[in-house]
Amino acid sequence: MSFLQVKNVIKRFDHQYALNDVSINVDKGELVCILGPSGCGKTTLLRIIAGLEKSDSGKIIIDGKDSTHLPAAKRNFGIVFQSYALFPNMTVMGNILFALQQKSKSNKDELEVRALEVLRMVDLFEHKNKYPRQLSGGQQQRTALARAIAISPSFLLLDEPLSALDAKVRTKLRGEIRAIQKRLGVTTIMVTHDQEEALTMADTVIVMNNAVVEQAGSPREIYGSPSTAFVAGFIGSMNFMNDDKATSAIRPEKVKIVECRDQYDYSAKVSDIEFRGALTRVFGRMGSSEEFCVDVSSQDFDTMNLREGAMMYLQIPQEHTLRYAGAMGKAV
């Protein structure tokens, strides 16, 4: 059942489309990631859902009610920004109590009980009396998350919540956010430009480009069956092979390196080799065409006599090959 519906939303800035007839559905309790490059419209969409920005046309339906013209203060959502937006002169506990006091008429003791409950949930109970400047980036972001969920919102909006953190903290925190979201069952919409975040966290991924939705689906659908060449190239690594009428595409892990005496489709001269732990990526060039890459297990690679300048022979399984009508066309 759809909790949130965005229907045919259009938004222009001057004469430029930020959103061009965008429609999405978000089911109750799911985590949806809106993914795309900078300037594609994803943050504008989030702000319109929140009521922080007005659309030129279209509708926003929240829990069955037309909320297109409802002010942000009455939409009952929690929001976490990339910049945390914590009050520097308040402790962790103070930041959360402030949010609760704006939304609840409960007495002080009840609010403190709720604040301590969410602090335990995000593993910040021991830091409740610290000020933001005394916290790490990850702890500040968890404080912002605790403040957002403390008010028991109908839905949660996350605007690039992890982009300011280093890679190790980001990986840890995305798992924590997903676990908390599942535990609470709160409908969550997250904007990100990081495909790994989207694929590992989301129930549904919405890929945007140039103010439109290119594709919406599960992470496996988006990765395994990209409906446009843009999605194919934006999500993960993809090899493209062009001819006059169509573009073929195949993931590096689907290509097979075989012996020259075996049946093969293409040969390529090895141009580079990247060791990536469990996988090794081998780059090659077929004549003067663009670079082609193949992923093999590092264990298998150790048995291959491959080095820069050597020839490799490639099988391209047709069952794993995608075809597009044009460079940015629909799958055929």
Side-chain angles (χ1 to χ4, degrees):
M1 173 184 171
S2 289
F3 172 81
L4 172 77
Q5 294 174 285
V6 175
K7 293 186 172 182
N8 308 110
V9 165
I10 292 175
K11 177 66 179 179
R12 297 181 186 89
F13 292 109
D14 295 325
H15 299 293
Q16 181 92 20
Y17 278 106
L19 298 170
N20 188 0
D21 197 25
V22 168
S23 298
I24 67 171
N25 290 308
V26 179
D27 288 341
K28 192 172 183 65
E30 75 170 336
L31 191 155
V32 170
C33 277
I34 304 174
L35 176 68
S38 297
C40 70
K42 57 188 186 294
T43 296
T44 300
L45 177 57
L46 192 79
R47 290 178 61 81
I48 287 173
I49 291 169
L52 301 172
E53 195 86 54
K54 289 185 177 180
S55 62
D56 296 328
S57 62
K59 289 186 176 182
I60 305 294
I61 312 295
I62 300 173
D63 205 13
K65 300 174 183 176
D66 188 342
S67 304
T68 308
H69 303 293
L70 198 67
K74 294 188 176 180
R75 296 196 185 193
N76 191 27
F77 64 89
I79 190 164
V80 178
F81 296 102
Q82 175 184 348
S83 61
Y84 317 138
L86 301 174
F87 296 110
N89 60 327
M90 294 182 184
T91 63
V92 170
M93 184 75 165
N95 268 275
I96 295 169
L97 284 173
F98 181 84
L100 285 167
Q101 288 161 359
Q102 307 309 302
K103 292 285 186 178
S104 175
K105 296 181 180 179
S106 300
N107 62 47
K108 183 180 178 182
D109 289 344
E110 290 173 328
L111 295 182
E112 286 186 355
V113 168
R114 175 59 179 166
L116 292 173
E117 179 185 354
V118 296
L119 284 174
R120 288 189 178 93
M121 192 181 300
V122 299
D123 197 26
L124 283 175
F125 181 80
E126 301 298 326
H127 302 280
K128 63 182 182 295
N129 295 320
K130 290 183 179 179
Y131 289 89
R133 66 180 179 275
Q134 297 172 301
L135 303 175
S136 68
Q139 289 168 340
Q140 289 182 50
Q141 193 58 288
R142 288 209 299 273
T143 301
L145 178 63
R147 185 177 60 184
I149 63 177
I151 61 174
S152 300
S154 296
F155 61 103
L156 188 61
L157 301 176
L158 309 176
D159 186 10
E160 301 270 11
L162 306 178
S163 60
L165 303 172
D166 66 52
K168 189 172 182 179
V169 174
R170 195 161 64 238
T171 299
K172 182 175 186 292
L173 200 52
R174 74 187 183 205
E176 293 176 358
I177 290 174
R178 181 59 165 146
I180 291 167
Q181 185 270 334
K182 282 185 174 180
R183 176 179 169 185
L184 296 175
V186 61
T187 307
T188 301
I189 303 165
M190 173 174 157
V191 161
T192 182
H193 65 274
D194 187 319
Q195 57 177 275
E196 191 172 305
E197 278 178 20
L199 294 177
T200 56
M201 293 179 70
D203 297 301
T204 298
V205 177
I206 295 170
V207 183
M208 292 189 66
N209 184 42
N210 291 332
V212 301
V213 173
E214 290 266 347
Q215 187 176 358
S218 71
R220 286 186 179 274
E221 289 169 344
I222 294 289
Y223 184 83
S225 302
S227 62
T228 70
F230 171 80
V231 177
F234 187 74
I235 304 294
S237 297
M238 185 68 81
N239 293 302
F240 289 99
M241 296 164 285
N242 297 298
D243 61 33
D244 293 336
K245 297 180 181 179
T247 299
S248 297
I250 189 166
R251 296 285 184 197
E253 68 270 20
K254 299 299 185 183
V255 181
K256 296 179 181 179
I257 299 176
V258 298
E259 298 285 345
C260 62
R261 63 177 177 270
D262 297 332
Q263 184 177 352
Y264 62 88
D265 299 298
Y266 298 98
S267 62
K269 182 178 286 189
V270 176
S271 57
D272 196 13
I273 297 169
E274 288 183 355
F275 174 71
R276 300 187 173 196
L279 288 177
T280 294
R281 177 162 291 180
V282 185
F283 295 88
R285 289 191 179 278
M286 296 181 287
S288 60
S289 63
E290 293 184 3
E291 206 162 45
F292 200 91
C293 64
V294 186
D295 286 344
V296 297
S297 75
S298 293
Q299 184 174 355
D300 288 344
F301 178 80
D302 289 341
T303 67
M304 300 175 180
N305 186 26
L306 285 179
R307 63 193 182 282
E308 286 187 34
M311 296 300 296
M312 62 177 173
Y313 301 89
L314 309 173
Q315 282 183 357
I316 310 294
Q318 292 304 302
E319 66 271 22
H320 298 306
T321 302
L322 303 166
R323 291 176 178 82
Y324 301 94
M328 298 300 291
K330 296 284 184 182
V332 294

